[in-house]
Amino acid sequence: MAEQQVQLTDLDPEQLQQVKKQLDEVGRGAVWAEWASSWGSTTFPGGGTSATAGNVASMASLAELDHLTNSFGQLKQAQGKFRSCVNDIDALTPDTLDREVLVPLTSSLYVPGKLGDTSHLIVDVGTGYYVKKSRPEAAKHYTGKAEFVGKNLETLQKTIERKQDNLQSVIQVLQMKLQQAQQPQQAAK
């Protein structure tokens, strides 16, 4: 079946309000499929003034934008923690040997301890696993993690911006259509 395009400007205000309402709802996937079938189209407006069916799933609801924005903040925090680990590794020198420190047993329980070896570290590699690594290996590990999160942040930022643009396009066309519909009514008075 050939893909069709629906222009936002071709929709009447009621249809645009329904599209905006659906963008605001949490149930994304089923709503988009319902919208496309209810209007007899395989496409959804977006990405400026039109979009293809492939963009239907990429249209953002406000709840999704909120979730993505929160995820962005959490990734930023994770990236900061990884960078902090690299700085902490750099701060370990032979001079810090036998220094008293607090050793975390859980996120809220620490016990006193002493640094016994500053050339090797126990590195948290995720899901409760720890690996002994040399200082350069540990620094490389956390630098790599920070870079990986940075790349994901860039991708997420582009996704958030695209979804905000899609939602803004629907809102702008809806406002324009509502203004056009009110002009004849005001002229008739």
Side-chain angles (χ1 to χ4, degrees):
M1 176 198 273
E3 225 176 59
Q4 299 174 354
Q5 295 234 345
V6 174
Q7 298 292 323
L8 284 175
T9 53
D10 292 343
L11 300 174
D12 61 44
E14 292 80 25
Q15 292 170 324
L16 284 168
Q17 284 178 332
Q18 184 179 1
V19 169
K20 183 186 178 301
K21 179 182 174 189
Q22 291 171 346
L23 283 171
D24 294 342
E25 292 176 358
V26 178
R28 294 172 293 281
V31 172
W32 305 130
E34 178 184 325
W35 184 88
S37 65
S38 70
W39 295 109
S41 170
T42 59
T43 61
F44 184 83
T49 59
S50 68
T52 63
N55 290 341
V56 170
S58 70
M59 294 300 291
S61 70
L62 293 177
E64 184 180 16
L65 280 172
D66 186 48
H67 172 73
L68 291 173
T69 303
N70 288 337
S71 295
F72 185 86
Q74 290 172 349
L75 282 174
K76 268 297 213 197
Q77 286 179 337
Q79 185 183 41
K81 287 180 182 180
F82 291 139
R83 288 180 177 162
S84 175
C85 287
V86 173
N87 293 336
D88 292 343
I89 291 168
D90 291 341
L92 285 176
T93 63
D95 297 336
T96 58
L97 191 63
D98 292 328
R99 181 185 215 178
E100 289 196 14
V101 294
L102 289 176
V103 180
L105 294 181
T106 68
S107 62
S108 61
L109 178 62
Y110 293 78
V111 296
K114 285 189 177 188
L115 291 177
D117 181 7
T118 57
S119 61
H120 291 89
L121 307 168
I122 304 296
V123 176
D124 182 356
V125 293
T127 62
Y129 290 96
Y130 298 86
V131 176
K132 186 174 183 177
K133 293 186 179 232
S134 68
R135 283 182 46 221
E137 289 173 333
K140 181 180 176 184
H141 171 80
Y142 286 117
T143 300
K145 290 267 194 182
E147 289 172 358
F148 176 75
V149 170
K151 289 176 186 174
N152 285 321
L153 282 167
E154 290 173 13
T155 302
L156 186 56
Q157 179 67 34
K158 290 174 186 174
T159 300
I160 290 170
E161 289 171 359
R162 186 183 74 244
K163 289 177 182 288
Q164 287 172 332
D165 290 345
N166 289 341
L167 182 60
Q168 191 61 34
S169 294
V170 171
I171 291 170
Q172 287 175 347
V173 172
L174 176 60
Q175 288 173 344
M176 180 186 71
K177 291 279 188 172
L178 290 174
Q179 286 175 353
Q180 289 174 351
Q182 289 175 353
Q183 287 175 352
Q185 292 172 355
Q186 290 176 352
K189 289 182 181 179

